[in-house]
Amino acid sequence: MRFLRILVVLSIFASCTTEDDYVPYQVEQVFSDNLEKTIKVDIIYVQPSNKASKVSYGLNETHFIDNLNGSFFHRYGIGLEMGDIKTLNNDELYDLKDNRGQEASVFLQQTQDSYREDRISVYVMKRSNTIAIAGIGKDKRALITDEFLYTSTAPHEIGHALGLHHYHEEGNIMSQIRPYLRKDFTDEQIAVLKETLEKIEN
Ligand SMILES: [Zn+2]
């Protein structure tokens, strides 16, 4: 098992994009009642262990999930449903800039007891507590820094969390270039996402 875990950690890229993704996405919203697959999404706020230093994120979780559905997922028959809203008090993760170059492995280690195999867990933390990290995604978990919640980083990291790898074509959600153009998944990617959701259901 230990060997497997090391392999998983090594296969992650430290950074998902070559450029910053500061442009909010503007994709026409499409909602559907006819969803093939749905999955619950837990939102987990990363906080320091010292409660006096707690930060406020000011996120409207329902609005965040609705936007992801309308902009990126419903059009493919995939629905994200609001799950639980929680807090993770964890100094190691909260001060991610102390772990430069190790962010992805620190993220996976520090969250292994707080995520559920049958859901997507979105961990929200301060971009200012990282060095140039917009987000990280792997193994049902996505880390999205507060400044990137409403950019294409969010569907990109959720894509990683559900098993997608990077894709070379501009405009694809899993592309690493020109993140402000990202808006589509390919048929193959949708097949992978649905297969992952199918496995989760069973
Ligand atoms: Zn990526």
Side-chain angles (χ1 to χ4, degrees):
M1 278 317 278
R2 188 171 164 75
F3 179 63
L4 269 180
R5 184 167 295 158
I6 289 167
L7 272 184
V8 165
V9 170
L10 285 178
S11 67
I12 299 164
F13 293 91
S15 177
C16 274
T17 56
T18 48
E19 318 163 44
D20 266 344
D21 179 20
Y22 274 116
V23 184
Y25 54 75
Q26 288 186 323
V27 182
E28 195 195 339
Q29 302 263 299
V30 175
F31 290 96
S32 169
D33 294 329
N34 190 16
L35 300 169
E36 223 180 292
K37 298 276 171 226
T38 58
I39 185 161
K40 282 208 161 121
V41 179
D42 290 343
I43 307 281
I44 304 173
Y45 294 109
V46 179
Q47 294 285 2
S49 58
N50 174 3
K51 294 217 162 62
S53 320
K54 222 177 138 188
V55 295
S56 160
Y57 288 101
L59 175 69
N60 178 332
E61 298 89 359
T62 308
H63 184 261
F64 172 67
I65 300 285
D66 278 352
N67 259 275
L68 285 171
N69 279 326
S71 302
F72 304 106
F73 291 100
H74 270 205
R75 69 188 73 223
Y76 300 109
I78 294 172
L80 308 179
E81 289 174 356
M82 193 67 236
D84 300 324
I85 298 167
K86 300 189 278 193
T87 297
L88 173 65
N89 298 302
N90 184 305
D91 292 324
E92 196 70 16
L93 189 56
Y94 182 77
D95 293 317
L96 202 52
K97 58 177 173 305
D98 295 343
N99 293 292
R100 192 171 194 184
Q102 305 296 318
E103 288 94 344
S105 53
V106 168
F107 169 56
L108 291 181
Q109 283 159 14
Q110 299 303 320
T111 55
Q112 57 189 352
D113 299 323
S114 58
Y115 81 102
R116 287 177 57 155
E117 282 286 348
D118 60 344
R119 293 185 178 188
I120 298 169
S121 294
V122 171
Y123 293 82
V124 178
M125 64 171 283
K126 288 281 169 194
R127 158 81 164 187
S128 54
N129 282 2
T130 74
I131 295 174
I133 296 281
I136 299 168
K138 184 89 183 170
D139 290 345
K140 319 277 162 57
R141 286 164 274 175
L143 173 77
I144 305 173
T145 54
D146 56 349
E147 295 171 24
F148 293 84
L149 287 161
Y150 281 93
T151 70
S152 66
T153 292
H156 179 99
E157 304 306 345
I158 289 171
H160 279 315
L162 293 175
L164 296 183
H165 303 290
H166 285 137
Y167 191 75
H168 56 89
E169 217 169 85
E170 208 174 273
N172 187 273
I173 291 170
M174 302 313 293
S175 163
Q176 286 176 281
I177 47 163
R178 303 202 190 181
Y180 50 90
L181 295 178
R182 295 188 293 205
K183 64 183 182 66
D184 302 309
F185 288 115
T186 64
D187 292 347
E188 289 77 14
Q189 288 170 330
I190 291 301
V192 171
L193 292 177
K194 287 182 180 168
E195 202 180 307
T196 305
L197 297 179
E198 179 87 37
K199 279 188 207 145
I200 290 172
E201 274 172 16
N202 298 327

